Amino acid sequence: MTAQVLSFESTSEYAEVGGLRLHYHQAGPADGPPLVLLHGGGPGASSWSNFGRNLPVFAQRHRVIMLDQPGFGHSAKPEITGHYFTFSADALLALLDHLGIGRTDLLGNSLGGGTAVRFALRHPARAGRLVLMAPGGLGLNVFAPDPTEGVKKLAKFGAPPGPSREKLADFLRTLVFDPALVTDELVEERFAVASAPESLRAMASMGKSFSSPDSFEDGMLWREAHRLRQRVLLVWGREDRVNPLDGALLPLKLIPRAQLHVFGRCGHWAQLEKFAEFNRLALDFLGED
């Protein structure tokens, strides 16, 4: 059965908050339950590239805020201070204050999952339910080696002699079970953004926050997983080569109100590779009493 994308209206907006210019999309009923979508962190990533297809579905029920995290998309690309998860979580808080949104559910993929977790830990009264798709920092590989295949190819993108379409395509293929999803058009679209000097600087600054002695421990979210009191849905692709499935075991054990759903024949992009099934799963979880 072919998944149908529903028609909808969305807005593309900017806000100056917390000293940053943030870009975001909004869609759905203004009085609907708020839901923030947080994208992953690969080269050329943005909220639209990760969740553009899903937005019409979630916007039927929710007031959806789809944020370009700092350093990505059309948002500002500043020097990151502290750890990226904390930096981005605080930027999200400033945006929610600007929009007059008190408490919101969050759905985050990879890097965005890490931001969602840090937001929930740092501002627990503002975070509702969490849908975390192979979240960065929360998983701890039990069997798979570190760095993983996807992380190594991510690091190669900006390494000397510099970025190339071939290196980007090689990385993007680690995100999916079906390599046919990595089209020439997708590579070209993301390379145009990822190869820009400001994007390369932003990615280097973000990467440094994950390795700097002053901040890297703030990215080890699995050590704080037991503090999450929100209801949490962990979503993983069985064939994920970026954050492998065995990384789900520790957060599933430690988060008091966690559940885990695993998609077979699926990589790091469950929202696209399992489009209809993922949408139903997430909406059912977010809408439960």
Side-chain angles (χ1 to χ4, degrees):
M1 181 177 178
T2 302
Q4 181 181 6
V5 178
L6 303 174
S7 62
F8 76 115
E9 292 184 1
S10 69
T11 60
S12 176
E13 304 177 42
Y14 291 89
E16 297 281 349
V17 294
L20 293 174
R21 190 170 196 247
L22 297 178
H23 174 253
Y24 60 98
H25 301 270
Q26 277 201 93
D31 59 351
L35 173 64
V36 173
L37 306 184
L38 295 165
H39 61 83
S46 68
S47 60
W48 194 265
S49 70
N50 266 204
F51 294 116
R53 279 192 70 205
N54 307 88
L55 180 58
V57 181
F58 287 102
Q60 298 303 307
R61 185 185 301 174
H62 293 268
R63 177 186 177 184
V64 182
I65 295 90
M66 203 167 70
L67 172 66
D68 285 348
Q69 296 189 76
F72 292 93
H74 296 291
S75 286
K77 297 172 175 60
E79 187 72 19
I80 304 302
T81 55
H83 194 278
Y84 183 84
F85 290 152
T86 304
F87 190 91
S88 187
D90 287 351
L92 172 59
L93 178 68
L95 177 63
L96 294 176
D97 288 345
H98 172 79
L99 295 174
I101 295 173
R103 184 177 174 89
T104 182
D105 296 330
L106 299 112
L107 188 157
N109 171 227
S110 194
L111 181 79
T115 296
V117 171
R118 179 52 72 197
F119 181 89
L121 290 168
R122 195 166 170 85
H123 313 289
R126 304 292 291 272
R129 300 185 184 199
L130 308 178
V131 180
L132 305 174
M133 307 156 59
L138 191 64
L140 181 68
N141 296 343
V142 179
F143 305 113
D146 278 319
T148 63
E149 178 188 2
V151 170
K152 286 191 287 189
K153 290 184 176 179
L154 171 62
K156 285 182 179 179
F157 175 73
S164 70
R165 291 171 178 80
E166 293 72 24
K167 288 198 284 186
L168 178 57
D170 200 29
F171 164 70
L172 292 176
R173 281 191 287 268
T174 69
L175 301 180
V176 294
F177 174 78
D178 180 5
L181 289 171
V182 181
T183 63
D184 292 342
E185 291 78 12
L186 175 64
V187 173
E188 196 63 38
E189 174 187 328
R190 290 188 59 147
F191 184 76
V193 177
S195 59
E198 61 271 21
S199 296
L200 292 170
R201 286 194 298 269
M203 182 157 286
S205 180
M206 179 186 74
K208 187 177 178 181
S209 80
F210 283 88
S211 59
S212 170
D214 296 329
S215 57
F216 82 94
E217 290 193 42
D218 290 339
M220 300 167 71
L221 298 172
W222 55 270
R223 301 199 304 189
E224 304 175 63
H226 66 281
R227 296 203 293 114
L228 287 171
R229 292 297 179 264
Q230 293 82 3
R231 292 191 62 183
V232 176
L233 172 62
L234 301 167
V235 179
W236 242 274
R238 187 182 62 198
E239 286 77 28
D240 194 322
R241 291 182 282 161
V242 179
N243 292 337
L245 176 58
D246 60 297
L249 297 176
L250 195 66
L252 181 62
K253 176 78 172 180
L254 293 176
I255 298 172
R257 305 175 73 192
Q259 56 183 285
L260 171 66
H261 186 94
V262 180
F263 287 110
R265 299 175 65 84
C266 179
H268 199 55
W269 278 349
Q271 79 277 16
L272 296 179
E273 292 200 88
K274 298 296 178 181
F275 178 79
E277 299 95 324
F278 172 81
N279 292 335
R280 286 195 298 268
L281 175 72
L283 285 170
D284 286 347
F285 171 76
L286 294 169
E288 286 176 354
D289 292 333

